[in-house]
Amino acid sequence: MNIYFIGLGALGSLYASKIYDYNPSFVKIITDERRKEKLEKEGFYVNQKSYNFEYILPKDAANVPKADILFVCVKYLQLENSIPLFQDFIGEKTKVISILNGISSEKIIGEKIGMEHMLYAYGVGMDAFREGNKVRFSQEGTLVFGEKTNDEIPASIATFVTLLQKANIQFKIPEDMEHALWKKFILNIAANQISATLRLNYGNIKHNEFAQKLMRMAAAEVIDIANKKEIHFDKADELEHLIDNIQKLADENTTSMCQDILAHRYTEVDMFAGEVIRQGIENNIPTPVNELLYLEIKAIEKTF
Ligand SMILES: NC(=O)C1=CN([C@@H]2O[C@H](COP(=O)(O)OP(=O)(O)OC[C@H]3O[C@@H](n4cnc5c(N)ncnc54)[C@H](OP(=O)(O)O)[C@@H]3O)[C@@H](O)[C@H]2O)C=CC1
Ligand SMILES: CC(C)(CO)C(=O)C(=O)O
């Protein structure tokens, strides 16, 4: 199989390394000249093991097979610029898995390459942490993906599903992918934004009832929007179990957004609070907590 990745960061390298461990010839990393030179010079490490990935440039597209599966693993602010780099690796049968959090990346990519190539996806339950060319994780979590609705395993991804099993990658194909995406969105709105504004790692969140209350306040707004859109959640139940999602994650690791803040990188706040505010206006649901979080995160970014 030809499994291509763009974005060798925390999540990209987690999946690239697992597939590489199963069969190195399956994996190619699409990148640009600057990153390729750096990666080849400095190497890349996942959980302290060195990986010698094959790096390819957009100009190589004519000389390699089209991708069977293409993982998009960049951050939200890098997405627009990355599309032209991977576009030429997409053939008639290529399926694209956008691992980005949030509810908007599939549409952004699909508008450029055709929605027929898109699967809906996210990763959950991992605590991947990146520092330069080194990534570590204690929990590899679950890849949740599929078409918008999935009664059974879609034929388009049957071979890929076999590969995931052989490569020992935990995955789930939910019946209602839209509902699953919103469930993850609720978690990110809470965990990512509160950990980022307060600079809390998972250990801090597990033992801080004030942070947990703030998380529930932010999440409640998303649940109200989802329910208004008829993507049904039991609000009390969802809020009660919100914190369960981080109980198994390593205390010293933190959300991808908090990692960004600590490293002085611009965050994905536009696809989190920004999207909640937009959807709140559209659906006539007040979103004061997310408005505050949006301004706080933008204010922090202004200091970088
Ligand atoms: N980290 C986690 O545990 C989780 C993350 N997510 C989501 O996954 C997505 C990815 O996050 P994460 O892996 O943490 O992000 P990272 O910042 O660790 O990784 C993004 C990678 O993409 C690379 N990149 C950016 N632009 C390009 C380009 N044009 N060409 C080639 N490579 C490029 C970056 O390189 P460079 O550094 O050189 O810019 C970086 O290596 C986000 O949407 C995040 O919310 C979801 C669940 C868990
Ligand atoms: C759920 C969580 C918080 C960790 O997997 C995440 O999605 C992130 O860090 O972006």
Side-chain angles (χ1 to χ4, degrees):
M1 282 195 90
N2 297 294
I3 314 286
Y4 295 179
F5 289 79
I6 183 150
L8 192 63
L11 272 211
S13 68
L14 187 159
Y15 290 116
S17 63
K18 299 260 322 174
I19 299 173
Y20 187 95
D21 284 342
Y22 170 65
N23 188 334
S25 74
F26 283 6
V27 180
K28 291 186 178 41
I29 313 289
I30 303 166
T31 189
D32 52 25
E33 302 265 6
R34 177 180 65 81
R35 288 184 175 91
K36 183 171 188 270
E37 203 182 308
K38 195 162 183 277
L39 286 160
E40 284 176 343
K41 194 165 145 217
E42 295 173 10
F44 200 85
Y45 299 83
V46 181
N47 282 343
Q48 295 182 326
K49 179 174 167 188
S50 164
Y51 281 85
N52 208 355
F53 293 115
E54 184 181 345
Y55 300 107
I56 52 173
L57 298 169
K59 67 177 187 207
D60 298 324
N63 309 320
V64 295
K66 299 292 182 200
D68 295 305
I69 299 285
L70 196 150
F71 276 87
V72 180
C73 307
V74 299
K75 282 255 166 75
Y76 184 66
L77 289 174
Q78 303 163 327
L79 184 59
E80 288 283 349
N81 285 343
S82 75
I83 299 174
L85 302 191
F86 67 75
Q87 220 158 11
D88 290 346
F89 295 92
I90 292 169
E92 210 186 315
K93 295 201 173 135
T94 306
K95 286 288 180 188
V96 174
I97 292 184
S98 162
I99 206 72
L100 276 82
N101 273 322
I103 50 174
S104 36
S105 68
E106 284 83 3
K107 189 159 173 272
I108 294 171
I109 304 170
E111 274 169 3
K112 294 272 165 58
I113 65 165
M115 277 314 284
E116 69 279 13
H117 293 292
M118 298 308 300
L119 294 169
Y120 295 83
Y122 62 84
V124 68
M126 58 277 293
D127 51 10
F129 190 94
R130 175 173 72 101
E131 267 170 320
N133 62 344
K134 294 187 182 65
V135 169
R136 65 167 198 264
F137 56 87
S138 76
Q139 298 292 325
E140 58 189 63
T142 304
L143 174 65
V144 184
F145 74 107
E147 305 282 356
K148 209 163 195 168
T149 55
N150 306 282
D151 294 335
E152 51 193 41
I153 293 179
S156 54
I157 50 173
T159 320
F160 178 58
V161 163
T162 309
L163 167 65
L164 292 177
Q165 286 161 338
K166 288 185 174 158
N168 210 10
I169 293 174
Q170 300 299 319
F171 69 93
K172 194 171 156 195
I173 303 176
E175 228 175 276
D176 183 348
M177 191 62 214
E178 190 179 33
H179 188 272
L181 271 176
W182 275 81
K183 194 172 172 68
K184 176 76 198 290
F185 191 48
I186 293 167
L187 172 63
N188 286 131
I189 291 302
N192 292 40
Q193 302 191 119
I194 301 302
S195 64
T197 47
L198 299 177
R199 294 172 171 82
L200 300 179
N201 63 23
Y202 294 125
N204 302 141
I205 294 176
K206 285 175 201 172
H207 308 292
N208 189 327
E209 70 274 26
F210 300 104
Q212 292 179 8
K213 174 97 195 277
L214 282 167
M215 284 171 61
R216 291 197 183 94
M217 287 168 71
E221 295 178 354
V222 191
I223 298 171
D224 288 341
I225 295 170
N227 282 335
K228 185 86 183 272
K229 288 168 77 94
E230 303 199 346
I231 303 166
H232 297 291
F233 288 94
D234 178 326
K235 191 171 175 184
D237 188 58
E238 205 59 34
L239 292 180
E240 193 185 323
H241 293 292
L242 187 67
I243 314 300
D244 297 352
N245 292 289
I246 53 168
Q247 292 303 342
K248 279 198 208 138
L249 307 181
D251 284 0
E252 66 278 16
N253 285 0
T254 185
T255 65
S256 54
M257 189 182 236
C258 187
Q259 293 179 42
D260 286 338
I261 293 283
L262 295 174
H264 287 199
R265 294 189 293 254
Y266 288 96
T267 71
E268 298 182 299
V269 68
D270 286 292
M271 77 174 192
F272 291 143
E275 184 66 27
V276 176
I277 296 165
R278 267 190 298 282
Q279 297 254 358
I281 293 167
E282 245 175 69
N283 294 284
N284 213 8
I285 302 281
T287 57
V289 178
N290 276 282
E291 280 171 42
L292 183 71
L293 287 169
Y294 184 83
L295 294 175
E296 277 184 4
I297 294 164
K298 286 285 179 188
I300 297 171
E301 287 178 355
K302 201 90 202 192
T303 66
F304 296 163

